[in-house]
Amino acid sequence: MIVRWLCGCLALFSLLVQAQTGPANFNEAKRLAVKIYAGHPYTFYCDCAFSGKQIDARSCGYAPRKNAKRGARLEWEHVVPAWEFGHQRQCWQHGGRKNCVKNDALFRRMEADLHNLVPAVGELNGDRSNYRFGMLEGEPRVYGQCDFEVDFKLRRAEPKDDRRGDVARIYFYMRDQYGLQISRQQNQLFTAWSKLDPPDAWECERNRRIALLQGRGNPHVQACPAP
């Protein structure tokens, strides 16, 4: 009985610490991200329904461009790629991501920040890679009905209209929280995207859930619609 009580106290203490500091690492963040999306199991770019690690392509009209196996799998994507914020850390210059994970506590916090993690179709996560977001001409559809474009020559990706504001506010959060450097052109683009695509009900609810788990919300998610 006493052992059970002690275990319960330790679990509660762990949750309280976690709420103050957030997840300790990327793997822990991915486990918590599943809880955040409970009741809203849809991918960020395509609105594909998912269950566990499986994507329901029929729910969103997604069709794989090249990698059907990865296209059937759910992955947790960094909206601001680890490559992008990692390259601004000294640790990356001396061993890349593995070195940063091992030796840089701030990098680990950035990598595990729940505000920067979204569920994505695996193939899109792979195709987007570490490319910057921007506008693309022509908008070729290579993922079925999924409105997401990647230009491999320009190394640029374009999300659909009602995700652009979300992307912008995540970038602004990472900029302000961790000193992420963003170019003037990208700042201008994201400012426009944020105005054109204000927060919707789910973005606001997601922010609330993350704040409960991580101890801080994204101050750029404001003017939320009434519940």
Side-chain angles (χ1 to χ4, degrees):
M1 192 74 176
I2 295 176
V3 172
R4 193 181 306 171
W5 178 81
L6 286 172
C7 290
C9 289
L10 287 171
L12 177 60
F13 177 75
S14 176
L15 286 173
L16 289 171
V17 170
Q18 191 175 77
Q20 294 290 327
T21 62
N25 54 57
F26 184 35
N27 286 332
E28 186 178 320
K30 288 187 286 186
R31 289 194 294 270
L32 288 175
V34 174
K35 297 180 181 180
I36 291 167
Y37 280 81
H40 190 88
Y42 301 100
T43 62
F44 184 68
Y45 299 117
C46 297
D47 288 320
C48 298
F50 65 85
S51 177
K53 295 183 179 180
Q54 294 299 309
I55 297 291
D56 181 2
R58 293 175 298 178
S59 67
C60 57
Y62 161 76
R65 177 186 69 87
K66 186 177 180 180
N67 192 334
K69 184 176 181 180
R70 192 168 182 183
R73 184 174 73 212
L74 178 79
E75 297 181 4
W76 293 96
E77 176 177 357
H78 291 98
V79 174
V80 180
W83 182 94
E84 186 170 353
F85 58 75
H87 264 73
Q88 298 182 25
R89 305 291 302 165
Q90 189 67 30
C91 59
W92 198 280
Q93 316 308 320
H94 301 283
R97 185 170 181 171
K98 287 184 178 179
N99 186 51
C100 286
V101 170
K102 183 178 180 181
N103 296 307
D104 190 322
L106 182 58
F107 177 89
R108 289 194 296 272
R109 280 179 55 200
M110 297 171 77
E111 186 186 41
D113 197 304
L114 293 165
H115 286 290
N116 191 36
L117 280 183
V118 296
V121 174
E123 184 182 41
L124 267 64
N125 184 25
D127 284 359
R128 187 266 168 128
S129 183
N130 55 24
Y131 298 170
R132 290 188 172 183
F133 287 108
M135 303 300 293
L136 295 172
E137 294 183 5
E139 295 195 352
R141 290 285 187 272
V142 296
Y143 303 106
Q145 296 176 27
C146 177
D147 186 0
F148 186 79
E149 292 81 48
V150 178
D151 189 313
F152 296 98
K153 290 183 179 180
L154 293 177
R155 299 177 61 84
R156 188 178 301 163
E158 180 184 316
K160 62 179 183 169
D161 292 356
D162 63 358
R163 291 298 179 273
R164 293 173 188 173
D166 306 55
V167 166
R169 288 180 284 274
I170 290 170
Y171 261 86
F172 289 155
Y173 166 84
M174 295 293 285
R175 177 196 65 190
D176 297 345
Q177 184 69 29
Y178 300 108
L180 178 75
Q181 296 178 22
I182 305 176
S183 70
R184 181 175 60 86
Q185 293 86 351
Q186 285 241 294
N187 263 307
Q188 290 176 341
L189 176 68
F190 291 151
T191 298
W193 280 8
S194 187
K195 290 179 180 178
L196 291 169
D197 174 34
D200 60 16
W202 167 245
E203 184 181 355
C204 292
E205 174 62 16
R206 173 181 178 272
N207 185 54
R208 186 190 70 82
R209 294 182 186 187
I210 292 174
L212 288 174
L213 284 172
Q214 192 164 275
R216 60 183 180 275
N218 181 350
H220 295 279
V221 180
Q222 299 177 349
C224 290

Short mmCIF file of all heavy atoms in Angstrom, two decimals, residues 20-78:
data_model
loop_
_atom_site.label_atom_id
_atom_site.label_comp_id
_atom_site.label_asym_id
_atom_site.label_seq_id
_atom_site.Cartn_x
_atom_site.Cartn_y
_atom_site.Cartn_z
N GLN A 20 6.51 22.22 -15.69
CA GLN A 20 7.35 23.40 -15.50
C GLN A 20 8.41 23.51 -16.59
O GLN A 20 8.76 24.61 -17.01
CB GLN A 20 8.05 23.33 -14.12
CG GLN A 20 7.10 23.43 -12.94
CD GLN A 20 6.50 24.81 -12.78
OE1 GLN A 20 7.14 25.80 -13.07
NE2 GLN A 20 5.26 24.87 -12.33
N THR A 21 8.94 22.38 -17.01
CA THR A 21 10.11 22.41 -17.88
C THR A 21 9.84 21.90 -19.30
O THR A 21 10.61 22.18 -20.21
CB THR A 21 11.25 21.56 -17.28
OG1 THR A 21 10.80 20.19 -17.18
CG2 THR A 21 11.61 22.07 -15.89
N GLY A 22 8.76 21.15 -19.49
CA GLY A 22 8.52 20.55 -20.79
C GLY A 22 9.24 19.22 -20.91
O GLY A 22 9.95 18.79 -20.01
N PRO A 23 9.06 18.52 -22.04
CA PRO A 23 9.71 17.22 -22.24
C PRO A 23 11.22 17.35 -22.23
O PRO A 23 11.78 18.36 -22.66
CB PRO A 23 9.19 16.78 -23.61
CG PRO A 23 8.70 18.04 -24.27
CD PRO A 23 8.22 18.93 -23.18
N ALA A 24 11.87 16.31 -21.76
CA ALA A 24 13.32 16.34 -21.61
C ALA A 24 14.06 16.09 -22.92
O ALA A 24 15.20 16.50 -23.08
CB ALA A 24 13.76 15.30 -20.57
N ASN A 25 13.41 15.41 -23.86
CA ASN A 25 14.08 15.08 -25.11
C ASN A 25 13.04 14.87 -26.21
O ASN A 25 11.83 14.88 -25.95
CB ASN A 25 14.98 13.85 -24.95
CG ASN A 25 14.22 12.66 -24.38
OD1 ASN A 25 13.21 12.22 -24.95
ND2 ASN A 25 14.69 12.14 -23.26
N PHE A 26 13.52 14.66 -27.42
CA PHE A 26 12.64 14.54 -28.59
C PHE A 26 11.72 13.33 -28.48
O PHE A 26 10.53 13.40 -28.81
CB PHE A 26 13.51 14.47 -29.84
CG PHE A 26 12.74 14.43 -31.14
CD1 PHE A 26 11.56 15.12 -31.30
CD2 PHE A 26 13.22 13.69 -32.21
CE1 PHE A 26 10.86 15.08 -32.51
CE2 PHE A 26 12.54 13.65 -33.42
CZ PHE A 26 11.35 14.34 -33.56
N ASN A 27 12.25 12.20 -28.01
CA ASN A 27 11.42 11.00 -27.89
C ASN A 27 10.27 11.21 -26.91
O ASN A 27 9.13 10.80 -27.15
CB ASN A 27 12.27 9.81 -27.47
CG ASN A 27 13.13 9.28 -28.59
OD1 ASN A 27 12.78 9.41 -29.77
ND2 ASN A 27 14.28 8.70 -28.27
N GLU A 28 10.58 11.86 -25.80
CA GLU A 28 9.53 12.16 -24.83
C GLU A 28 8.51 13.13 -25.41
O GLU A 28 7.30 13.01 -25.18
CB GLU A 28 10.15 12.74 -23.56
CG GLU A 28 9.16 12.96 -22.43
CD GLU A 28 9.84 13.49 -21.18
OE1 GLU A 28 10.96 13.02 -20.86
OE2 GLU A 28 9.26 14.37 -20.53
N ALA A 29 8.99 14.09 -26.18
CA ALA A 29 8.09 15.07 -26.81
C ALA A 29 7.12 14.37 -27.76
O ALA A 29 5.93 14.72 -27.81
CB ALA A 29 8.91 16.12 -27.55
N LYS A 30 7.60 13.40 -28.51
CA LYS A 30 6.72 12.69 -29.45
C LYS A 30 5.64 11.91 -28.71
O LYS A 30 4.50 11.83 -29.17
CB LYS A 30 7.56 11.76 -30.34
CG LYS A 30 8.39 12.51 -31.38
CD LYS A 30 9.07 11.57 -32.36
CE LYS A 30 10.24 10.85 -31.74
NZ LYS A 30 10.98 10.04 -32.75
N ARG A 31 5.99 11.36 -27.56
CA ARG A 31 4.98 10.64 -26.77
C ARG A 31 3.92 11.61 -26.25
O ARG A 31 2.73 11.30 -26.25
CB ARG A 31 5.66 9.90 -25.61
CG ARG A 31 6.48 8.69 -26.04
CD ARG A 31 6.85 7.81 -24.87
NE ARG A 31 7.76 8.47 -23.95
CZ ARG A 31 9.08 8.42 -24.04
NH1 ARG A 31 9.65 7.75 -25.03
NH2 ARG A 31 9.84 9.03 -23.16
N LEU A 32 4.34 12.78 -25.81
CA LEU A 32 3.39 13.77 -25.32
C LEU A 32 2.55 14.35 -26.45
O LEU A 32 1.38 14.69 -26.26
CB LEU A 32 4.13 14.90 -24.60
CG LEU A 32 4.71 14.56 -23.23
CD1 LEU A 32 5.52 15.74 -22.69
CD2 LEU A 32 3.61 14.18 -22.25
N ALA A 33 3.16 14.47 -27.63
CA ALA A 33 2.44 15.03 -28.77
C ALA A 33 1.21 14.18 -29.12
O ALA A 33 0.19 14.71 -29.56
CB ALA A 33 3.36 15.13 -29.98
N VAL A 34 1.31 12.88 -28.91
CA VAL A 34 0.16 12.00 -29.15
C VAL A 34 -1.01 12.42 -28.27
O VAL A 34 -2.17 12.45 -28.71
CB VAL A 34 0.55 10.53 -28.88
CG1 VAL A 34 -0.67 9.63 -28.98
CG2 VAL A 34 1.62 10.08 -29.87
N LYS A 35 -0.73 12.79 -27.02
CA LYS A 35 -1.79 13.22 -26.10
C LYS A 35 -2.39 14.55 -26.56
O LYS A 35 -3.59 14.77 -26.42
CB LYS A 35 -1.22 13.36 -24.69
CG LYS A 35 -0.70 12.06 -24.09
CD LYS A 35 -0.15 12.27 -22.70
CE LYS A 35 0.39 10.99 -22.10
NZ LYS A 35 0.93 11.18 -20.73
N ILE A 36 -1.56 15.43 -27.06
CA ILE A 36 -2.04 16.73 -27.51
C ILE A 36 -3.06 16.57 -28.63
O ILE A 36 -4.07 17.29 -28.69
CB ILE A 36 -0.86 17.61 -27.97
CG1 ILE A 36 0.00 17.99 -26.77
CG2 ILE A 36 -1.34 18.86 -28.71
CD1 ILE A 36 1.33 18.58 -27.13
N TYR A 37 -2.82 15.61 -29.51
CA TYR A 37 -3.70 15.42 -30.67
C TYR A 37 -4.81 14.41 -30.41
O TYR A 37 -5.53 14.05 -31.34
CB TYR A 37 -2.87 15.03 -31.89
CG TYR A 37 -2.22 16.24 -32.53
CD1 TYR A 37 -1.05 16.77 -32.02
CD2 TYR A 37 -2.82 16.87 -33.61
CE1 TYR A 37 -0.46 17.91 -32.58
CE2 TYR A 37 -2.25 18.00 -34.19
CZ TYR A 37 -1.07 18.51 -33.66
OH TYR A 37 -0.51 19.64 -34.21
N ALA A 38 -4.99 13.99 -29.17
CA ALA A 38 -6.10 13.11 -28.83
C ALA A 38 -7.41 13.85 -29.12
O ALA A 38 -7.62 14.98 -28.69
CB ALA A 38 -6.03 12.72 -27.36
N GLY A 39 -8.29 13.21 -29.87
CA GLY A 39 -9.54 13.85 -30.25
C GLY A 39 -9.44 14.70 -31.49
O GLY A 39 -10.44 15.20 -32.00
N HIS A 40 -8.22 14.90 -31.99
CA HIS A 40 -8.02 15.66 -33.24
C HIS A 40 -6.90 14.99 -34.04
O HIS A 40 -5.84 15.57 -34.28
CB HIS A 40 -7.65 17.11 -32.93
CG HIS A 40 -7.67 18.00 -34.15
ND1 HIS A 40 -8.80 18.66 -34.57
CD2 HIS A 40 -6.70 18.31 -35.04
CE1 HIS A 40 -8.52 19.36 -35.67
NE2 HIS A 40 -7.25 19.16 -35.96
N PRO A 41 -7.12 13.75 -34.47
CA PRO A 41 -6.05 12.98 -35.13
C PRO A 41 -5.95 13.28 -36.62
O PRO A 41 -6.28 12.44 -37.46
CB PRO A 41 -6.48 11.54 -34.87
CG PRO A 41 -7.99 11.61 -34.90
CD PRO A 41 -8.35 12.95 -34.31
N TYR A 42 -5.46 14.46 -36.94
CA TYR A 42 -5.33 14.86 -38.35
C TYR A 42 -3.95 15.47 -38.58
O TYR A 42 -3.45 16.24 -37.75
CB TYR A 42 -6.42 15.87 -38.73
CG TYR A 42 -7.81 15.33 -38.54
CD1 TYR A 42 -8.54 15.67 -37.41
CD2 TYR A 42 -8.36 14.44 -39.47
CE1 TYR A 42 -9.82 15.16 -37.22
CE2 TYR A 42 -9.64 13.92 -39.27
CZ TYR A 42 -10.35 14.28 -38.15
OH TYR A 42 -11.61 13.77 -37.95
N THR A 43 -3.36 15.12 -39.72
CA THR A 43 -2.02 15.63 -40.01
C THR A 43 -2.06 17.13 -40.32
O THR A 43 -3.09 17.66 -40.73
CB THR A 43 -1.39 14.88 -41.19
OG1 THR A 43 -2.18 15.09 -42.36
CG2 THR A 43 -1.27 13.40 -40.88
N PHE A 44 -0.93 17.77 -40.15
CA PHE A 44 -0.84 19.22 -40.23
C PHE A 44 -1.03 19.74 -41.65
O PHE A 44 -1.79 20.68 -41.88
CB PHE A 44 0.53 19.66 -39.70
CG PHE A 44 0.73 21.14 -39.64
CD1 PHE A 44 0.02 21.92 -38.76
CD2 PHE A 44 1.68 21.75 -40.46
CE1 PHE A 44 0.22 23.30 -38.69
CE2 PHE A 44 1.89 23.12 -40.40
CZ PHE A 44 1.15 23.90 -39.51
N TYR A 45 -0.37 19.15 -42.62
CA TYR A 45 -0.38 19.69 -43.98
C TYR A 45 -1.56 19.21 -44.82
O TYR A 45 -2.06 19.95 -45.66
CB TYR A 45 0.92 19.34 -44.71
CG TYR A 45 2.16 19.88 -44.05
CD1 TYR A 45 3.14 19.04 -43.54
CD2 TYR A 45 2.36 21.25 -43.94
CE1 TYR A 45 4.28 19.53 -42.93
CE2 TYR A 45 3.49 21.76 -43.33
CZ TYR A 45 4.45 20.90 -42.82
OH TYR A 45 5.57 21.40 -42.22
N CYS A 46 -2.00 17.98 -44.62
CA CYS A 46 -2.99 17.38 -45.51
C CYS A 46 -4.33 17.11 -44.86
O CYS A 46 -5.27 16.73 -45.55
CB CYS A 46 -2.47 16.06 -46.08
SG CYS A 46 -1.00 16.21 -47.09
N ASP A 47 -4.41 17.25 -43.53
CA ASP A 47 -5.64 16.89 -42.80
C ASP A 47 -6.01 15.43 -43.00
O ASP A 47 -7.19 15.07 -43.07
CB ASP A 47 -6.81 17.78 -43.22
CG ASP A 47 -6.67 19.20 -42.69
OD1 ASP A 47 -6.23 19.36 -41.53
OD2 ASP A 47 -6.96 20.15 -43.44
N CYS A 48 -5.00 14.58 -43.09
CA CYS A 48 -5.25 13.14 -43.17
C CYS A 48 -5.52 12.59 -41.77
O CYS A 48 -4.78 12.91 -40.83
CB CYS A 48 -4.06 12.40 -43.75
SG CYS A 48 -3.63 12.86 -45.44
N ALA A 49 -6.54 11.77 -41.63
CA ALA A 49 -6.78 11.12 -40.36
C ALA A 49 -5.66 10.10 -40.10
O ALA A 49 -5.11 9.51 -41.03
CB ALA A 49 -8.13 10.42 -40.36
N PHE A 50 -5.32 9.93 -38.83
CA PHE A 50 -4.31 8.92 -38.49
C PHE A 50 -4.73 8.20 -37.21
O PHE A 50 -5.48 8.73 -36.39
CB PHE A 50 -2.92 9.54 -38.35
CG PHE A 50 -2.75 10.51 -37.20
CD1 PHE A 50 -2.43 10.07 -35.93
CD2 PHE A 50 -2.88 11.88 -37.41
CE1 PHE A 50 -2.27 10.97 -34.88
CE2 PHE A 50 -2.71 12.80 -36.36
CZ PHE A 50 -2.41 12.33 -35.10
N SER A 51 -4.22 7.00 -37.08
CA SER A 51 -4.44 6.19 -35.89
C SER A 51 -3.12 5.52 -35.55
O SER A 51 -2.57 4.78 -36.36
CB SER A 51 -5.51 5.14 -36.15
OG SER A 51 -5.68 4.31 -35.01
N GLY A 52 -2.61 5.81 -34.35
CA GLY A 52 -1.28 5.32 -34.02
C GLY A 52 -0.26 5.90 -34.97
O GLY A 52 -0.15 7.12 -35.10
N LYS A 53 0.44 5.05 -35.69
CA LYS A 53 1.44 5.50 -36.66
C LYS A 53 0.98 5.32 -38.10
O LYS A 53 1.78 5.45 -39.02
CB LYS A 53 2.76 4.76 -36.43
CG LYS A 53 3.41 5.06 -35.08
CD LYS A 53 4.75 4.36 -34.93
CE LYS A 53 5.40 4.69 -33.58
NZ LYS A 53 6.71 4.00 -33.43
N GLN A 54 -0.31 5.03 -38.28
CA GLN A 54 -0.83 4.75 -39.61
C GLN A 54 -1.65 5.92 -40.15
O GLN A 54 -2.49 6.48 -39.45
CB GLN A 54 -1.69 3.49 -39.59
CG GLN A 54 -0.91 2.22 -39.28
CD GLN A 54 0.17 1.93 -40.31
OE1 GLN A 54 -0.10 1.92 -41.51
NE2 GLN A 54 1.39 1.68 -39.85
N ILE A 55 -1.41 6.27 -41.41
CA ILE A 55 -2.13 7.33 -42.10
C ILE A 55 -3.31 6.72 -42.87
O ILE A 55 -3.15 5.69 -43.53
CB ILE A 55 -1.21 8.07 -43.09
CG1 ILE A 55 -0.06 8.77 -42.35
CG2 ILE A 55 -1.99 9.06 -43.94
CD1 ILE A 55 -0.48 9.93 -41.50
N ASP A 56 -4.46 7.37 -42.81
CA ASP A 56 -5.60 6.97 -43.63
C ASP A 56 -5.63 7.88 -44.86
O ASP A 56 -6.20 8.96 -44.83
CB ASP A 56 -6.90 7.10 -42.83
CG ASP A 56 -8.12 6.69 -43.63
OD1 ASP A 56 -7.98 6.26 -44.79
OD2 ASP A 56 -9.25 6.81 -43.09
N ALA A 57 -5.01 7.44 -45.94
CA ALA A 57 -4.89 8.26 -47.15
C ALA A 57 -6.24 8.58 -47.76
O ALA A 57 -6.44 9.65 -48.34
CB ALA A 57 -4.00 7.56 -48.16
N ARG A 58 -7.20 7.67 -47.63
CA ARG A 58 -8.52 7.89 -48.24
C ARG A 58 -9.26 9.05 -47.58
O ARG A 58 -10.11 9.69 -48.21
CB ARG A 58 -9.35 6.62 -48.14
CG ARG A 58 -8.82 5.46 -48.98
CD ARG A 58 -9.63 4.21 -48.74
NE ARG A 58 -9.52 3.77 -47.34
CZ ARG A 58 -10.16 2.72 -46.84
NH1 ARG A 58 -10.94 1.97 -47.62
NH2 ARG A 58 -10.02 2.39 -45.56
N SER A 59 -8.94 9.34 -46.33
CA SER A 59 -9.65 10.39 -45.60
C SER A 59 -9.33 11.79 -46.12
O SER A 59 -10.07 12.73 -45.87
CB SER A 59 -9.30 10.32 -44.11
OG SER A 59 -7.93 10.65 -43.89
N CYS A 60 -8.24 11.92 -46.86
CA CYS A 60 -7.79 13.25 -47.30
C CYS A 60 -7.44 13.28 -48.79
O CYS A 60 -7.05 14.34 -49.30
CB CYS A 60 -6.57 13.68 -46.49
SG CYS A 60 -5.19 12.50 -46.59
N GLY A 61 -7.52 12.15 -49.47
CA GLY A 61 -7.19 12.11 -50.88
C GLY A 61 -5.71 12.16 -51.15
O GLY A 61 -5.28 12.45 -52.28
N TYR A 62 -4.90 11.85 -50.13
CA TYR A 62 -3.44 11.84 -50.34
C TYR A 62 -3.03 10.67 -51.22
O TYR A 62 -3.54 9.56 -51.09
CB TYR A 62 -2.73 11.75 -48.99
CG TYR A 62 -1.29 11.29 -49.09
CD1 TYR A 62 -0.30 12.16 -49.54
CD2 TYR A 62 -0.93 9.98 -48.76
CE1 TYR A 62 1.02 11.72 -49.64
CE2 TYR A 62 0.37 9.55 -48.86
CZ TYR A 62 1.35 10.42 -49.30
OH TYR A 62 2.64 10.00 -49.41
N ALA A 63 -2.11 10.92 -52.13
CA ALA A 63 -1.51 9.87 -52.96
C ALA A 63 0.01 10.05 -52.91
O ALA A 63 0.50 11.18 -53.04
CB ALA A 63 -2.00 9.97 -54.40
N PRO A 64 0.76 9.00 -52.69
CA PRO A 64 2.21 9.14 -52.59
C PRO A 64 2.85 9.61 -53.89
O PRO A 64 2.42 9.20 -54.97
CB PRO A 64 2.70 7.74 -52.20
CG PRO A 64 1.60 6.83 -52.65
CD PRO A 64 0.34 7.60 -52.52
N ARG A 65 3.83 10.46 -53.77
CA ARG A 65 4.58 10.92 -54.94
C ARG A 65 5.55 9.83 -55.40
O ARG A 65 5.67 9.55 -56.59
CB ARG A 65 5.37 12.19 -54.59
CG ARG A 65 6.26 12.72 -55.73
CD ARG A 65 7.12 13.89 -55.25
NE ARG A 65 8.13 13.47 -54.30
CZ ARG A 65 9.34 13.01 -54.63
NH1 ARG A 65 9.68 12.90 -55.92
NH2 ARG A 65 10.20 12.65 -53.71
N LYS A 66 6.23 9.21 -54.43
CA LYS A 66 7.29 8.27 -54.77
C LYS A 66 7.42 7.15 -53.74
O LYS A 66 7.61 6.00 -54.10
CB LYS A 66 8.62 9.02 -54.90
CG LYS A 66 9.78 8.19 -55.38
CD LYS A 66 11.02 9.06 -55.54
CE LYS A 66 12.22 8.27 -56.03
NZ LYS A 66 13.43 9.14 -56.17
N ASN A 67 7.28 7.51 -52.45
CA ASN A 67 7.57 6.56 -51.38
C ASN A 67 6.28 6.17 -50.66
O ASN A 67 5.89 6.78 -49.67
CB ASN A 67 8.56 7.20 -50.39
CG ASN A 67 9.13 6.21 -49.40
OD1 ASN A 67 8.52 5.20 -49.10
ND2 ASN A 67 10.32 6.51 -48.89
N ALA A 68 5.62 5.15 -51.17
CA ALA A 68 4.33 4.73 -50.61
C ALA A 68 4.47 4.21 -49.19
O ALA A 68 3.59 4.42 -48.35
CB ALA A 68 3.70 3.66 -51.51
N LYS A 69 5.56 3.53 -48.90
CA LYS A 69 5.75 2.97 -47.56
C LYS A 69 5.85 4.08 -46.53
O LYS A 69 5.19 4.03 -45.49
CB LYS A 69 7.02 2.11 -47.53
CG LYS A 69 7.24 1.40 -46.21
CD LYS A 69 8.45 0.48 -46.27
CE LYS A 69 8.65 -0.24 -44.94
NZ LYS A 69 9.85 -1.15 -44.99
N ARG A 70 6.65 5.09 -46.82
CA ARG A 70 6.77 6.20 -45.88
C ARG A 70 5.49 7.04 -45.89
O ARG A 70 5.13 7.65 -44.89
CB ARG A 70 7.98 7.06 -46.22
CG ARG A 70 8.34 8.04 -45.12
CD ARG A 70 9.69 8.69 -45.32
NE ARG A 70 10.01 9.58 -44.22
CZ ARG A 70 11.11 10.32 -44.14
NH1 ARG A 70 12.02 10.26 -45.12
NH2 ARG A 70 11.33 11.11 -43.10
N GLY A 71 4.80 7.07 -47.03
CA GLY A 71 3.56 7.82 -47.12
C GLY A 71 2.45 7.24 -46.27
O GLY A 71 1.49 7.94 -45.95
N ALA A 72 2.56 6.00 -45.89
CA ALA A 72 1.54 5.37 -45.06
C ALA A 72 1.83 5.55 -43.57
O ALA A 72 1.03 5.13 -42.73
CB ALA A 72 1.45 3.88 -45.38
N ARG A 73 2.94 6.20 -43.25
CA ARG A 73 3.39 6.28 -41.87
C ARG A 73 3.28 7.70 -41.33
O ARG A 73 3.61 8.67 -42.01
CB ARG A 73 4.86 5.82 -41.81
CG ARG A 73 5.45 5.76 -40.42
CD ARG A 73 6.83 5.15 -40.49
NE ARG A 73 7.81 6.06 -41.08
CZ ARG A 73 8.86 5.69 -41.80
NH1 ARG A 73 9.05 4.41 -42.09
NH2 ARG A 73 9.72 6.57 -42.27
N LEU A 74 2.84 7.82 -40.10
CA LEU A 74 2.82 9.12 -39.41
C LEU A 74 4.19 9.42 -38.85
O LEU A 74 4.84 8.54 -38.27
CB LEU A 74 1.80 9.09 -38.26
CG LEU A 74 1.75 10.39 -37.45
CD1 LEU A 74 0.94 11.45 -38.18
CD2 LEU A 74 1.19 10.15 -36.05
N GLU A 75 4.63 10.66 -39.01
CA GLU A 75 5.89 11.12 -38.40
C GLU A 75 5.64 12.46 -37.73
O GLU A 75 4.73 13.20 -38.10
CB GLU A 75 6.99 11.23 -39.46
CG GLU A 75 7.34 9.90 -40.11
CD GLU A 75 8.46 10.02 -41.14
OE1 GLU A 75 9.01 11.13 -41.31
OE2 GLU A 75 8.77 8.99 -41.78
N TRP A 76 6.45 12.77 -36.74
CA TRP A 76 6.36 14.06 -36.05
C TRP A 76 7.42 14.98 -36.61
O TRP A 76 8.61 14.71 -36.50
CB TRP A 76 6.50 13.87 -34.54
CG TRP A 76 5.32 13.12 -34.00
CD1 TRP A 76 5.24 11.78 -33.75
CD2 TRP A 76 4.03 13.67 -33.70
NE1 TRP A 76 3.98 11.45 -33.30
CE2 TRP A 76 3.22 12.59 -33.26
CE3 TRP A 76 3.49 14.95 -33.76
CZ2 TRP A 76 1.89 12.78 -32.88
CZ3 TRP A 76 2.16 15.13 -33.37
CH2 TRP A 76 1.38 14.06 -32.94
N GLU A 77 6.96 16.04 -37.23
CA GLU A 77 7.86 16.96 -37.95
C GLU A 77 8.11 18.23 -37.16
O GLU A 77 7.21 18.80 -36.53
CB GLU A 77 7.25 17.35 -39.31
CG GLU A 77 8.11 18.38 -40.04
CD GLU A 77 7.59 18.74 -41.41
OE1 GLU A 77 6.59 18.15 -41.84
OE2 GLU A 77 8.20 19.60 -42.06
N HIS A 78 9.35 18.70 -37.23
CA HIS A 78 9.70 20.02 -36.74
C HIS A 78 9.33 21.04 -37.82
O HIS A 78 9.89 20.99 -38.92
CB HIS A 78 11.20 20.13 -36.44
CG HIS A 78 11.64 19.32 -35.26
ND1 HIS A 78 12.22 18.07 -35.39
CD2 HIS A 78 11.58 19.58 -33.93
CE1 HIS A 78 12.50 17.61 -34.17
NE2 HIS A 78 12.12 18.50 -33.27
#
